[in-house]
Amino acid sequence: MYGNALVNCQFTYLDGNAFEGRSNGLIIDNVLIYRTQQTTLGLDSRSMSINRPSVVRRVTIDDVGASVGIKGGGIASVYKLNNIMHFGGLQYDGASLQMGGRDKVIYRYNWPHDHPKRSCRFDARGYPTYANAFGEMSYNVAWNTPGGFAIKGDDHLLHNNLILGDGGFELFNMKQWASKNERTVVANNIVANLSAASMIGRK
């Protein structure tokens, strides 16, 4: 089906992924995910997940044990005005927003804060055929997230973002993820540090 919507909903006090979006053209708007994944015994690392092109806006995630706030399936989608905090304490790795792929993925006007994971992430599986590409991060503000922004792949656009604190941008240059970031554009950001060095030999 096309064009479904999930609007003005709450998902609270459950153990597992709050929901998984599998409908093309899905709109998610004004959703609260609160006190879920309190044991993570189901081994699911997501607070919510999207597997089809979608618009995800005004999602609040708070007090969640899973390591990932919103996980996307590498398809063209927009994630904006999301407030993601206090999650990730029970699992390793993760980020507030975590997607990959070669379709246009946009993170815009999001507020990841007060959690131990990365703020925003363009991810990739090990040894992909093609580099993760064509993502955009713009006008996001992050604070108290020591991991900063992690960028794998190439041909991304990162502009007008603000990170308060020690976190910065980490542009991966590593064959394991087909990641070079040679054509990634970084402009008009305020961050404490930026790393774009080769990571050959690092595990």
Side-chain angles (χ1 to χ4, degrees):
M1 296 181 66
Y2 184 89
N4 290 322
L6 185 67
V7 181
N8 299 335
C9 294
Q10 295 186 23
F11 298 87
T12 60
Y13 302 102
L14 60 91
D15 213 12
N17 192 6
F19 64 88
E20 184 171 351
R22 297 185 178 183
S23 172
N24 287 324
L26 178 65
I27 294 176
I28 298 169
D29 190 4
N30 196 31
V31 169
L32 172 65
I33 301 173
Y34 177 65
R35 290 198 173 176
T36 66
Q37 296 278 38
Q38 295 294 289
T39 70
T40 65
L41 292 177
L43 302 181
D44 196 320
S45 64
R46 305 161 297 179
S47 304
M48 60 168 278
S49 57
I50 304 296
N51 289 330
R52 295 290 185 274
S54 306
V55 174
V56 180
R57 63 187 178 223
R58 297 194 301 165
V59 172
T60 296
I61 295 175
D62 186 11
D63 197 4
V64 174
S67 62
V68 177
I70 303 175
K71 178 69 179 289
I75 32 73
S77 295
V78 177
Y79 302 85
K80 63 181 182 179
L81 301 171
N82 299 297
N83 184 17
I84 305 174
M85 59 188 151
H86 306 138
F87 79 96
L90 297 181
Q91 292 178 324
Y92 174 74
D93 208 6
S96 298
L97 297 164
Q98 183 169 323
M99 293 76 182
R102 293 181 62 82
D103 291 326
K104 185 70 172 178
V105 173
I106 298 174
Y107 303 164
R108 188 175 290 161
Y109 300 108
N110 298 289
W111 305 284
H113 61 97
D114 297 298
H115 61 72
K117 305 300 183 182
R118 297 184 186 275
S119 301
C120 299
R121 188 176 191 173
F122 289 147
D123 208 4
R125 60 182 175 83
Y127 300 99
T129 303
Y130 301 101
N132 175 27
F134 311 121
E136 177 189 330
M137 296 184 186
S138 55
Y139 306 103
N140 302 287
V141 179
W143 63 97
N144 293 335
T145 59
F149 290 19
I151 318 299
K152 296 177 184 176
D154 212 338
D155 295 290
H156 299 301
L157 174 61
L158 317 172
H159 70 93
N160 294 97
N161 299 284
L162 170 63
I163 301 178
L164 300 172
D166 296 331
F169 284 172
E170 190 171 7
L171 279 70
F172 284 84
N173 179 3
M174 197 168 182
K175 184 177 180 181
Q176 178 180 349
W177 296 303
S179 180
K180 293 185 177 180
N181 279 304
E182 293 176 332
R183 295 179 300 275
T184 291
V185 175
V186 182
N188 298 330
N189 301 284
I190 300 177
V191 299
N193 55 74
L194 187 151
S195 171
S198 173
M199 294 180 168
I200 296 173
R202 180 175 168 183
K203 303 206 175 174

